[in-house]
Amino acid sequence: IICSVGPQLYAKTAVSAFTCTCVVLAVAFVSFFISSPGETEGFTGVKAATFSDNWGPHYTHGKDFSAIFSILFPAVTGIMAGANMSGVLKDPSKAIPKGTLMATFGSSFIYLGFGLVIGASNTAS
């Protein structure tokens, strides 16, 4: 419905959705540090010992590199959706490369950050 009204309304709605997503990600990230160990099975709190135990490819039954890669792949391909907004941009030749690089580095930072925090706070079992 929003897309049929016009690209300007869609762009404004996208900014609101982005803001909500950033708030949810921040709260989720902070929750690893303020949650008490033992509340959830396998959660140890952020500890270097847990991170050390989880370091390396300890795939469980039925999980391999391709299954893990399938989690990351949508983050990288979803970035291309930003290029579809080129009709709304004032200077697409500058904004698209800049936005694509920012999205790539931003999503890589988020995935890496959550991967490290999850690896440092949860047992492999």
Side-chain angles (χ1 to χ4, degrees):
I1 295 174
I2 293 171
C3 294
S4 64
V5 175
Q8 277 73 22
L9 181 61
Y10 176 75
K12 290 178 184 175
T13 306
V15 170
S16 298
F18 175 73
T19 303
C20 290
T21 302
C22 288
V23 169
V24 169
L25 284 172
V27 169
F29 192 79
V30 169
S31 72
F32 283 99
F33 296 97
I34 62 173
S35 297
S36 299
E39 290 181 3
T40 306
E41 182 181 344
F43 182 74
T44 63
V46 178
K47 294 182 179 178
T50 306
F51 184 77
S52 177
D53 291 342
N54 288 332
W55 189 256
H58 307 290
Y59 299 117
T60 57
H61 178 69
K63 303 289 186 235
D64 57 4
F65 176 77
S66 61
I68 305 304
F69 181 73
S70 68
I71 296 170
L72 179 64
F73 187 74
V76 179
T77 58
I79 291 168
M80 297 309 296
N84 295 333
M85 297 289 295
S86 62
V88 181
L89 301 172
K90 292 178 185 174
D91 189 4
S93 64
K94 289 184 181 178
I96 291 175
K98 181 180 176 182
T100 302
L101 288 173
M102 288 175 61
T104 301
F105 290 128
S107 61
S108 297
F109 177 75
I110 290 169
Y111 270 79
L112 182 63
F114 271 100
L116 293 173
V117 171
I118 290 169
S121 63
N122 293 280
T123 60
S125 57

